[in-house]
Amino acid sequence: MLRLWYVIVVSLPFVVYYLSKAHYIERHEESFSEERRYRMAKRCISIMMHNGRIRTESSGQEFLPAEGGYVMYSNHQGKFDSLGIMSAHPKPCTIVMDAYRSRLPIVDSFIDLIQGSRLDKHDMKKQMATILKIAEEVKQGRRYIIFPEGGYDHNRNDMQDFMAGSFKCAVRAKAPIVPVAIIDSYKAFGINSLRKVRTQVHFLEPIFYEEYAGMKTTEIADLVKARIAEKIQAQLQGSFI
């Protein structure tokens, strides 16, 4: 948490500026495209990473589908995860976040900026409505990041079981599933140090609808988890590719 508070304090002038700009965008939503919003979001992330001495190395961008929407499913390690993925993802994408956490200061404005979706974990009807909304947006070409583990406490480079229900979005949209392996992402905001940190983001080969059609969501969850685990293990045992 030390680095997180350090970044907020050091970046305070930028935080105030971009929060004000984000509020302006929300009041004039029709004038700002998703691409323009995403450029601003990536600028915010870049400033934060620079001030926080965080570097993210990445691979696999060539695997990302060139056209249409898709859903990225990643292991979960901490507060930096979605920022690290977005910093490495070339085209506009957004995230699904727990509704309660998404209302925290700064985070709330950021989610509005990238037009993310908030998932109410305590209301099944609202959950289903959000799933249907995301599926429809993916059909229309949007790209989402989802963390199927839910929580991230003490995960580090290990993984918890993937929740099968989180894959309903991709199944309903009949969209490609892109597994994403993140490594050492927990170090960014999870250790009390200001030393330089290197995290990794790896986009893996997509699993197209034709490959998983007919599979149960539990089977899809196991498949995606296995591919991510294999990549993490390979990276930890060898050199960065």
Side-chain angles (χ1 to χ4, degrees), residues 58-119:
S58 61
S59 71
Q61 283 87 346
E62 69 274 12
F63 295 135
L64 297 172
E67 301 294 335
Y70 50 84
V71 185
M72 292 172 275
Y73 288 93
S74 172
N75 56 311
H76 206 4
Q77 297 189 357
K79 293 179 175 64
F80 180 71
D81 298 352
S82 57
L83 304 181
I85 294 172
M86 291 176 70
S87 74
H89 193 273
K91 293 183 178 181
C93 65
T94 190
I95 64 175
V96 182
M97 191 172 188
D98 172 64
Y100 174 76
R101 290 178 181 271
S102 74
R103 296 300 181 185
L104 296 174
I106 301 178
V107 178
D108 186 31
S109 295
F110 187 80
I111 295 297
D112 286 341
L113 174 64
I114 60 174
Q115 297 176 306
S117 291
R118 295 175 167 87
L119 187 69

Side-chain angles (χ1 to χ4, degrees), residues 57 198 200 202 231 233-241:
E57 297 177 331
R198 186 192 77 162
Q200 298 180 33
H202 302 283
K231 183 64 176 181
Q233 191 65 20
Q235 289 299 121
L236 293 178
Q237 290 179 347
S239 59
F240 178 75
I241 299 174

